Amino acid sequence: MSVSIAVDCMGGDYGLKVTLPAAIAFAASHPQVQLILVGQKDLIETQLAQQERGASVHSNIQIEHASEVVSMQDSVEVALRKKRDSSIRVAADAVKSGRANALVSAGNTGALMAISRYVLKTLPGIERPAIATELPNTKGGSTIVLDLGANAQAEPLHLLQFAVMGAALAAAVQGKERARIGLLNIGEELIKGNDVVKAAGELLRSSPLNFIGNVEGNDIFNGDVDVVVCDGFVGNVALKSSEGVAQMIKTILAEEFDRNFFTRAMKMLAAPALLAIKNRVDHRRYNGAALLGLNGVVIKSHGSMDAFGFECAIKKAFDAVEHQILQRTSETILSLHQALHTATQSKEEPLSTPPGVCV
């Protein structure tokens, strides 16, 4: 299968300083993948020529011009209606036309979501896309968490749809056909949480999903649940908090091991273990969140990510295409929709939400 990935080179906090080295590194290690670098052509060509390894990877890199850039401060309205030749928009059009199989951007999250939703549309039965990523857990695997910021507020039905999309992603990427799904809450008890979370719990318990109940923040990392569902406000706070804790631990370890001669000697002895720990908790390796529910593969990188992290996001896009996440998500949504419809019809009192709207 021939894979082509459209890279928004202008997005993020650092733009070409990060996206271009990352794209070149990825192109060098994946010569079978075609990269479409989208952005201001003259700037890309100038910096591409200056890259040390640029000449060796030009064969699988092409440049597509976009005259405008969506800044991190631009509103969704400006990005969607006034900057129609932005790098995000041109990259999304490449996916829609079939010239690219996936889009990767570190740009404005709201703009990326709005433009992707406008250009690519959502899958049948999905009202709102959600941002999902994998976070490391203590059992050597990863936990899928969504939504991470696409929807600051969500209704119970949306949380049910997020669970369906998370289950589809777990099946496609992790091979877990009956992924354990938890609803993020302030306690495991049914009486805990606000009205939206309580109502979402009722919907999930009535669904054919493998719903294990409410989970708390620490459960994201203990490996006892495969998919954690929440609204975008809570999810984004949880994500940024976990990244901050990981960075804090890294800083503290470095400070303590460099405190004196004896601790530096201990650091040398512990170097292999420290490197393993660093790799397991390095948030850059998990960079790249999937915008699930869209009729196309879209990967969102952190805006402040460095070149290594952005390359990981490109790799995630490649893996998503290779694993046929879009097709498998569509199939899973359809099968779960049918199961939900059957389960609803078999109840004496059907769910208040029409089955055809659920998923």
Side-chain angles (χ1 to χ4, degrees):
M1 176 184 179
S2 177
V3 177
S4 178
I5 300 174
V7 179
D8 167 23
C9 286
M10 312 306 294
D13 294 345
Y14 307 109
L16 289 172
K17 293 180 180 179
V18 163
T19 59
L20 198 55
I24 291 174
F26 178 86
S29 60
H30 296 76
Q32 79 281 17
V33 180
Q34 185 72 28
L35 291 186
I36 303 174
L37 306 186
V38 183
Q40 296 174 339
K41 189 174 182 179
D42 55 341
L43 295 179
I44 295 176
E45 288 179 336
T46 299
Q47 294 204 28
L48 190 61
Q50 295 173 353
Q51 294 296 318
E52 182 179 356
R53 293 181 295 165
S56 65
V57 297
H58 283 178
S59 59
N60 63 328
I61 285 181
Q62 67 181 81
I63 301 172
E64 186 154 340
H65 180 63
S67 62
E68 298 175 303
V69 177
V70 175
S71 74
M72 302 300 275
Q73 290 75 37
D74 281 338
S75 67
V76 169
E77 182 180 2
V78 168
L80 188 60
R81 303 186 185 280
K82 297 184 179 181
K83 293 189 175 182
R84 299 187 180 184
D85 195 44
S86 69
S87 52
I88 295 178
R89 181 68 170 267
V90 173
D93 286 335
V95 175
K96 181 182 179 181
S97 67
R99 292 182 292 110
N101 303 107
L103 157 62
V104 182
S105 175
N108 184 314
T109 302
L112 177 63
M113 176 61 77
I115 291 172
S116 299
R117 186 174 181 180
Y118 177 78
V119 173
L120 301 175
K121 312 304 180 187
T122 57
L123 293 171
I126 296 297
E127 290 186 6
R128 294 187 183 181
I131 300 176
T133 196
E134 297 176 82
L135 296 178
N137 59 47
T138 57
K139 295 188 177 179
S142 59
T143 303
I144 295 171
V145 184
L146 72 166
D147 178 27
L148 295 177
N151 306 276
Q153 293 181 323
E155 298 300 322
L157 174 60
H158 301 142
L159 293 175
L160 173 62
Q161 293 178 356
F162 297 167
V164 171
M165 292 187 286
L169 183 61
V173 176
Q174 301 176 345
K176 298 176 179 178
E177 300 299 332
R178 288 285 293 166
R180 300 163 297 176
I181 297 172
L183 180 63
L184 192 59
N185 203 343
I186 57 174
E188 297 180 356
E189 299 85 356
L190 296 181
I191 61 172
K192 292 291 183 68
N194 57 34
D195 292 340
V196 171
V197 172
K198 290 178 183 177
E202 290 295 327
L203 289 177
L204 286 163
R205 279 186 288 274
S206 300
S207 78
L209 296 169
N210 185 19
F211 179 56
I212 64 172
N214 293 332
V215 296
E216 298 179 73
N218 59 294
D219 293 311
I220 296 174
F221 306 100
N222 63 22
D224 292 333
V225 61
D226 301 310
V227 178
V228 173
V229 176
C230 57
D231 66 45
F233 184 91
V234 172
N236 194 270
V237 171
L239 174 66
K240 300 294 175 59
S241 298
S242 65
E243 292 172 353
V245 170
Q247 184 60 44
M248 180 189 70
I249 293 173
K250 178 182 176 181
T251 301
I252 290 175
L253 284 173
E255 290 175 349
E256 292 303 319
F257 273 116
D258 289 334
R259 187 168 295 279
N260 53 52
F261 171 80
F262 297 104
T263 57
R264 285 192 290 272
M266 292 173 59
K267 179 181 178 180
M268 293 179 62
L269 293 174
L274 290 174
L275 179 60
I277 294 171
K278 177 183 177 182
N279 289 336
R280 286 185 65 178
V281 302
D282 187 352
H283 68 280
R284 299 178 305 164
R285 294 181 178 274
Y286 296 88
N287 182 47
L291 272 60
L292 297 180
L294 295 169
N295 191 23
V297 177
V298 179
I299 301 296
K300 172 66 174 72
S301 166
H302 282 309
S304 60
M305 194 55 61
D306 61 11
F308 175 80
F310 192 79
E311 183 186 354
C312 289
I314 301 176
K315 289 179 180 178
K316 188 162 289 188
F318 173 68
D319 290 339
V321 175
E322 285 283 281
H323 285 97
Q324 298 183 311
I325 283 182
L326 184 61
Q327 296 88 334
R328 296 187 66 173
T329 300
S330 299
E331 293 169 0
T332 303
I333 288 172
L334 177 61
S335 64
L336 288 173
H337 166 67
Q338 293 172 340
L340 281 167
H341 182 78
T342 301
T344 301
Q345 293 298 314
S346 66
K347 292 179 178 295
E348 293 183 1
E349 295 183 1
L351 294 174
S352 58
T353 304
V357 179
C358 283
V359 286

